[in-house]
């Protein structure tokens, strides 16, 4: 049995009842074997055994007070996964589904993603099973402050720098950063995704969505085509989906479908993004409200958005949202590119089906790395007390995404897997982390 498979089997048995974490390891570890064969020193130094084990896992209770005076309790997590190439960096997710398995899978993926950016940041992730939907601003503030009352001990500008994720936007980051500052007295770049008035970066709001489209731009170049006259389907209607749609339209594509957890909208004339922004960013409403803005639109409750014919499919909602049935529909309808805007959007079986059918597929660790890339640029601006222009940051983001694609494509080609961006991204991300771990010794 190969080294990678031995480590995988041992890690799965050691971490039972953690399906998302198992899936992430199963997707990544076997693809690394060609590189391992070339570098036996990695096995000798037990690099993989050390890589799959987080450096630190923090689980804590979060009591908070609802508007009716009731005290409620949620569970908080922070997994500091790997700091070989820099301080831990990764988002915080507030969603009822959050558990240790999900946080570990996200942290494990983050190690590779952050390495791919070429920036000096390690990997971590955090969150809570708290649901901000339907909560008042005061309730969200109460929860965020209680969350930081515990977490502040373990984060800081040179140790661990959280950011936003699902359920955590500018409002939540503001509340958490404010409490961190009160507790520590430190006005530092300890959080990213901050408001522009207190150390935030331009392009951070757009970064993940824009970066996704810059990745697709490179994928289309490989296929010797462009966005012009292409039809796109984008799942989700949050930050990533909205700004992916915005940049895709700027590049000439027509986005015809978006969704939320209740269903999807289909608009053959092209999605009116101003309407979606009004619904989601201003009203915090549901996507079916789009019907009030466009007579041409249809709403399908609990429908499968991948049944809509498209050239480009961009899953931007959550993990495992694109399964085999959706992949088959995309293939049958002539889709040519699938790129993950959310983390591990696509199941392993669906990924293999897409690749075997000739669909060019990019995994989230490469395709959605734009968010953490601009977060690292925000850290740089905070450290040097400067602010770059929107154009400067957008240009750097586009360059970073180009380099991620080029590095992933080249790594796959080098090991006889041309066009397999999953294997290429895994190898390219791992090699930098492995070399850093080897150089720093077994600690």
């Amino acid at each position: 049995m190969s080294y990678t498979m031995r480590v995988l089997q041992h890690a799965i048995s050691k971490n039972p009842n953690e399906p998302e974490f198992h899936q992430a390891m199963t997707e990544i570890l076997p693809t690394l074997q060609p590189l391992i064969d070339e570098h036996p020193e990695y096995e000798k130094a037990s690099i993989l055994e050390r890589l799959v084990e987080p450096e630190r896992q923090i689980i804590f209770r979060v009591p908070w007070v609802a508007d009716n005076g009731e005290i409620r309790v949620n569970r908080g997590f922070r997994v500091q996964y790997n700091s070989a190439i820099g301080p831990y960096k990764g988002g915080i997710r507030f969603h009822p589904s959050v558990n240790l398995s999900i946080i570990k899978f996200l942290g494990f993926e983050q190690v590779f993603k952050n390495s791919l950016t070429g920036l000096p940041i390690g990997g971590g992730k955090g969150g809570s099973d708290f649901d901000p939907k339907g909560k008042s601003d005061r309730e969200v503030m109460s929860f965020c402050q209680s969350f930081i009352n515990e977490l502040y001990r373990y984060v800081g500008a040179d140790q661990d720098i959280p950011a936003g994720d699902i359920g955590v936007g500018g409002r939540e980051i503001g509340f958490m950063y404010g409490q961190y500052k009160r507790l520590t007295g430190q006005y530092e770049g300890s959080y990213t995704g901050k408001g522009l008035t207190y150390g935030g970066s331009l392009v951070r709001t757009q970064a993940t969505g824009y970066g996704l489209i810059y990745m697709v731009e490179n994928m289309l170049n490989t296929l010797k085509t462009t966005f012009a006259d292409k039809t796109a389907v984008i799942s989700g209607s949050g930050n990533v989906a909205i700004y992916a749609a915005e940049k895709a339209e700027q590049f000439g594509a027509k986005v015809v479908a978006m969704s939320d957890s209740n269903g999807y909208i289909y608009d053959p004339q092209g999605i009116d993004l101003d309407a979606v922004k009004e619904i989601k960013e201003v009203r915090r409403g549901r996507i079916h409200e789009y019907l009030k803005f466009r007579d041409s639109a249809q709403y399908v409750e609990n429908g499968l958005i991948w049944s809509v014919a498209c050239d480009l499919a961009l899953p931007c909602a959550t993990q495992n949202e694109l399964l085999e049935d959706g992949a088959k529909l995309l293939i049958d309808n002539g889709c040519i590119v699938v790129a993950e805007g959310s983390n591990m959007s696509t199941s392993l079986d669906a990924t293999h089906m897409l690749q075997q059918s000739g669909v060019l597929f990019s995994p989230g660790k490469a395709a959605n790395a734009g968010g953490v890339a601009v977060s690292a640029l925000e850290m740089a601006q905070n450290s040097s007390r400067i602010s770059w222009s929107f154009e400067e940051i957008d240009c750097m983001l586009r360059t970073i995404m180009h380099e991620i694609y080029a590095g992933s494509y080249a790594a796959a080609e080098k090991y006889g897997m041309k066009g397999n961006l999953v294997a290429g991204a895994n190898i390219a991300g791992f090699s930098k982390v492995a070399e850093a771990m080897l150089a720093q010794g077994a600690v």
Side-chain angles (χ1 to χ4, degrees), residues 17-146:
N17 305 314
E18 296 182 0
E20 294 86 2
F21 183 46
H22 297 171
Q23 182 179 340
M25 291 191 294
T26 302
E27 185 261 297
I28 291 172
L29 293 183
T31 65
L32 303 177
Q33 192 61 50
L35 182 66
I36 299 291
D37 291 340
E38 206 173 68
H39 293 276
E41 66 271 21
Y42 293 165
E43 182 174 358
K44 185 178 180 181
S46 299
I47 293 294
L48 289 184
E49 288 91 339
R50 291 153 59 190
L51 184 70
V52 299
E53 189 70 36
E55 292 176 7
R56 188 178 294 109
Q57 301 177 64
I58 306 154
I59 304 176
F60 52 98
R61 72 180 180 194
V62 188
W64 57 281
V65 182
D67 286 343
N68 63 5
E70 179 185 341
I71 296 175
R72 300 181 184 175
V73 180
N74 287 92
R75 179 174 288 179
F77 303 89
R78 188 69 180 174
V79 173
Q80 297 174 330
Y81 220 103
N82 190 289
S83 60
I85 62 174
Y88 309 107
K89 184 81 191 78
I92 290 177
R93 174 178 295 192
F94 292 165
H95 192 272
S97 67
V98 166
N99 56 36
L100 185 59
S101 175
I102 287 175
I103 297 301
K104 284 171 70 175
F105 119 65
L106 290 168
F108 188 57
E109 289 261 312
Q110 198 77 41
V111 174
F112 292 78
K113 181 189 301 186
N114 293 359
S115 174
L116 284 169
T117 68
L119 300 167
I121 42 177
K125 206 74 178 183
S128 173
D129 55 4
F130 171 77
D131 188 358
K133 288 181 182 176
K135 306 293 192 301
S136 70
D137 286 350
R138 197 214 63 80
E139 287 177 320
V140 172
M141 180 175 69
S142 175
F143 174 83
C144 288
Q145 290 174 343
S146 182

Side-chain angles (χ1 to χ4, degrees), residues 228-300:
D229 301 321
K230 298 295 189 300
T231 298
V233 165
I234 301 179
S235 67
S237 49
N239 177 273
V240 179
I242 285 172
Y243 290 99
E246 181 174 277
K247 183 57 69 174
E249 289 185 352
Q250 289 175 13
F251 279 2
K254 181 167 71 171
V255 179
V256 296
M258 296 180 74
S259 66
D260 64 15
S261 57
N262 296 126
Y264 72 85
I265 51 168
Y266 168 64
D267 190 342
Q269 294 184 7
I271 296 293
D272 180 349
L273 268 182
D274 289 337
V276 175
K277 288 180 181 180
E278 172 68 23
I279 295 164
K280 289 294 182 177
E281 295 184 336
V282 179
R283 301 183 187 179
R284 300 183 188 273
R286 308 305 295 164
I287 200 67
H288 66 77
E289 296 173 32
Y290 183 86
L291 298 182
K292 300 174 184 177
F293 293 82
R294 279 283 185 91
D295 292 336
S296 57
Q298 303 170 31
Y299 174 69
V300 181

Side-chain angles (χ1 to χ4, degrees), residues 205-225:
T205 300
Q206 298 88 349
T208 308
Y210 278 20
L212 174 62
I213 299 305
Y214 295 148
M215 176 61 69
V216 175
E217 177 185 33
N218 284 277
M219 297 167 78
L220 291 173
N221 286 340
T222 294
L223 298 175
K224 303 190 184 307
T225 186

Side-chain angles (χ1 to χ4, degrees), residues 168-180:
V168 177
R171 174 183 62 171
E172 290 77 14
I173 289 293
F175 291 149
M176 287 191 284
Y177 178 68
Q179 187 70 355
Y180 175 85

Side-chain angles (χ1 to χ4, degrees), residues 7 10 63 89 91 160 186 270 285 353 383 438:
V7 172
H10 179 69
K89 184 81 191 78
D160 184 350
Q186 299 294 315
M353 181 183 291
S383 296
L438 198 65

